[in-house]
Amino acid sequence: MDPGADLRSLLTSRYPLLIVEARDEPRFLILLRAAADAVNAPTWTWSATRGLNRMGFQAQYDTVDPNKALAFVQTLTDPGVFVFEDGQRLFADPIFLRRVKEIAQAARQGQTLVVTGSGHTVPDDLSDLALPWIEPTPSPTELEGVVQGVLNDLTAGGVKVNVSPDDLQKIVEAVRGMSTGEAERLIRRAATDGTLDGSDVEGIRRDRAETEAESGSLEIVDTEGTIGQVGGMDHLKEWLATRAKAMSPGAEAFGIDPPRGILLTGVPGCGKSMMAKAVAKSWNMPLALLDPARLFGSYVGESEGRLAKALDQADAMAPVVLWIDEIEKGFAQGGESDGGVAQRMLGTFLRWMQERTSAVFLVATSNDVSHLPPEFLRKGRFDEIFFVDLPGPGEREAIFSTHLTQRHRDPSKFDLKALAAASDGFSGAEIEAAVVGALYRAFAANSDVTTDSIVAELKGTVPLSRSRAEDIAALRLWATTRAVPA
């Protein structure tokens, strides 16, 4: 959506009152002034420090008081757009609220009153008069212009900027979904050492992740490893390879929509989270983690607001892989003991899953699908539900080889077939733990790890497939008719 075009449409349609959530106030004012100019309406702005003033003129005398400013607006008959910055907090004043209502009811031709703030909730007294509007986050094209402008400014300021066109796109990708001001601050922070180049992209992503974590919304996750480096899951890999191209711009012209997402369920420790990271890496897309535990707040409406903000942000970052780990912890079946919060959040999330048009590829993982509501599992929510089972003998050999290589050991010096046989029933995570445990013992004994030492570690471990055999059997039974083998 073009926010400028949307604002022009609203002004042309003569909406008398807009309640605006201005996430980036300077940008919003620029967009609004451009829209007002397009319909030949002057822009007036009010703030608690300056009072009311028309763009290009001095402030109107004695209008710092918001009620006096509104009283002045009521005397005007000419077209105009009147912006009350941070005015939403003033709705607590019954006189201010009444004056806003009277101006909106008058609905003079060519006049629109705009009240900005950090939210877009319409007071009950204005529900029939006001239109809530949320300032959209910048498009990739707009962000690219912002990033290029910052780079030009840094160069002019003496910073050594060595950013290739490919690096530029990576920076744009790293700040996608942020306001222009937030993006500019992150880039400038990366250049505080006097240089800015492609190596700073990861730092920008890391700083953003910290910022998002503090705000309790999405977290940008670093991705390592490709789909080919994940052991097993051949059917899932083939499915992903087929749909990877559908994320390209030519897919829509061909008549197909981008893939919507997958649910990975199965035995814990078998690579579901690893696959989520590998998809983002292989598709050259950012990976945004939505942690369900961060969504819940103590105040009425806070949890729903956090979820809505996170989903809006995911849409703005598209194309992106949205990863929800252990989704059952955020949207489990339950009663009304929480006042209906979980049900409302579930409804919000299901609507987003069904109606979104952005290129957000959802990868949800679950260790216990029995706790998920039936609405989650019906056709259309996910493109496919995959069951990730314990690795077979060949897959276990590959997993041992991977972990030995990662720890500076030559897999050819180990009997991988013997290790695979000894680890029957072990998950990938349990195999990794056995390798790590053998390394610790070898280091403590001033020796090196061997096939026998790893086998000994395996023999001293009770895998989940034996300690929770009934649960694993129930999972497999569920998957026989409800999921596709990964």
Side-chain angles (χ1 to χ4, degrees):
M1 179 183 68
D2 178 0
D6 192 43
L7 285 171
R8 287 193 299 275
S9 175
L10 293 176
L11 297 182
T12 302
S13 302
R14 300 178 183 176
Y15 274 96
L17 177 60
L18 302 180
I19 307 296
V20 173
E21 182 176 332
R23 297 169 172 174
D24 190 341
E25 188 177 85
R27 171 178 177 256
F28 170 70
L29 291 176
I30 291 172
L31 292 171
L32 185 65
R33 283 167 180 159
D37 289 344
V39 298
N40 297 315
T43 303
W44 296 71
T45 59
W46 176 90
S47 77
T49 58
R50 299 187 311 271
L52 185 68
N53 96 275
R54 178 176 171 179
M55 186 177 177
F57 295 84
Q58 290 185 338
Q60 187 67 31
Y61 176 72
D62 196 25
T63 55
V64 170
D65 183 308
N67 285 306
K68 290 183 178 180
L70 285 176
F72 176 79
V73 172
Q74 286 180 298
T75 67
L76 300 177
T77 57
D78 293 335
V81 178
F82 307 93
V83 186
F84 278 70
E85 300 172 17
D86 302 324
Q88 291 177 23
R89 59 183 176 80
L90 300 173
F91 284 136
D93 177 0
I95 298 176
F96 180 86
L97 181 62
R98 182 63 207 178
R99 286 192 185 277
V100 169
K101 186 174 184 177
E102 289 175 354
I103 292 172
Q105 286 174 332
R108 294 191 181 96
Q109 185 173 351
Q111 290 190 356
T112 299
L113 186 62
V114 180
V115 183
T116 72
S118 58
H120 59 279
T121 302
V122 177
D124 292 340
D125 290 347
L126 303 175
S127 59
D128 295 334
L129 299 166
L131 177 74
W133 192 81
I134 304 173
E135 178 192 356
T137 52
S139 67
T141 301
E142 184 181 351
L143 269 180
E144 184 174 345
V146 170
V147 173
Q148 188 61 66
V150 176
L151 297 183
N152 293 341
D153 190 43
L154 290 172
T155 300
V159 174
K160 295 180 180 178
V161 177
N162 183 19
V163 175
S164 67
D166 185 51
D167 293 332
L168 175 65
Q169 292 305 314
K170 289 180 180 178
I171 294 175
V172 171
E173 179 184 282
V175 298
R176 186 176 296 175
M178 306 187 81
S179 70
T180 56
E182 291 169 333
E184 181 174 344
R185 285 191 291 275
L186 276 184
I187 297 168
R188 291 186 181 278
R189 185 190 303 175
T192 53
D193 61 352
T195 63
L196 185 71
D197 54 33
S199 65
D200 289 304
V201 174
E202 286 304 316
I204 293 172
R205 287 175 176 158
R206 184 174 58 253
D207 289 343
R208 179 188 178 161
E210 292 173 357
T211 301
E212 300 296 352
E214 290 171 0
S215 67
S217 51
L218 297 184
E219 176 184 350
I220 306 302
V221 179
D222 290 335
T223 56
E224 296 180 1
T226 62
I227 291 176
Q229 293 174 310
V230 179
M233 306 191 209
D234 292 338
H235 186 204
L236 174 56
K237 290 175 182 177
E238 181 183 353
W239 189 93
L240 290 167
T242 301
R243 279 150 181 84
K245 195 173 181 180
M247 300 299 287
S248 64
E252 184 177 355
F254 192 75
I256 56 176
D257 296 323
R260 302 178 66 80
I262 54 176
L263 173 63
L264 302 180
T265 185
V267 182
C270 288
K272 297 185 292 295
S273 299
M274 187 185 302
M275 179 56 80
K277 296 178 181 179
V279 170
K281 180 73 172 180
S282 296
W283 287 8
N284 293 315
M285 293 165 60
L287 178 65
L289 172 65
L290 175 58
D291 184 354
R294 291 182 180 169
L295 295 176
F296 293 94
S298 55
Y299 299 103
V300 175
E302 186 177 3
S303 303
E304 298 92 318
R306 288 180 180 178
L307 175 60
K309 178 181 178 182
L311 297 178
D312 286 345
Q313 189 175 34
D315 286 330
M317 291 173 65
V320 65
V321 176
L322 178 63
W323 173 30
I324 306 181
D325 199 23
E326 297 186 73
I327 194 170
E328 69 272 20
K329 292 185 178 180
F331 302 100
Q333 297 186 78
E336 295 293 325
S337 60
D338 60 357
V341 172
Q343 287 300 311
R344 290 194 296 273
M345 290 179 67
L346 174 63
T348 297
F349 189 69
L350 290 177
R351 280 194 301 275
W352 175 83
M353 290 179 69
Q354 194 70 31
E355 299 173 5
R356 75 183 189 276
T357 57
S358 58
V360 177
F361 186 75
L362 176 62
V363 179
T365 66
S366 173
N367 288 329
D368 190 352
V369 288
S370 65
H371 288 168
L372 283 174
E375 302 96 314
F376 249 113
L377 304 176
R378 79 163 179 81
K379 283 293 184 182
R381 301 298 189 195
F382 295 96
D383 291 324
E384 197 59 86
I385 300 174
F386 288 95
F387 180 74
V388 182
D389 207 343
L390 291 167
E395 294 165 348
R396 293 198 297 275
E397 285 187 41
I399 293 170
F400 275 111
S401 179
T402 297
H403 289 301
L404 288 168
T405 301
Q406 287 177 351
R407 288 160 179 83
H408 317 297
R409 299 300 188 280
D410 182 359
S412 66
K413 296 182 178 179
F414 293 80
D415 189 344
L416 296 180
K417 291 191 179 300
L419 291 174
S423 58
D424 184 26
F426 279 66
S427 68
E430 290 166 338
I431 288 173
E432 180 183 10
V435 173
V436 172
L439 283 166
Y440 271 113
R441 291 182 183 275
F443 187 72
N446 293 319
S447 61
D448 199 4
V449 66
T450 63
T451 298
D452 290 341
S453 64
I454 297 175
V455 169
E457 198 72 28
L458 292 168
K459 289 181 177 178
T461 303
V462 179
L464 199 66
S465 62
R466 290 203 289 270
S467 64
R468 292 179 54 188
E470 296 81 3
D471 295 336
I472 302 300
L475 268 176
R476 286 172 169 161
L477 180 63
W478 178 92
T480 55
T481 57
R482 297 176 177 88
V484 175

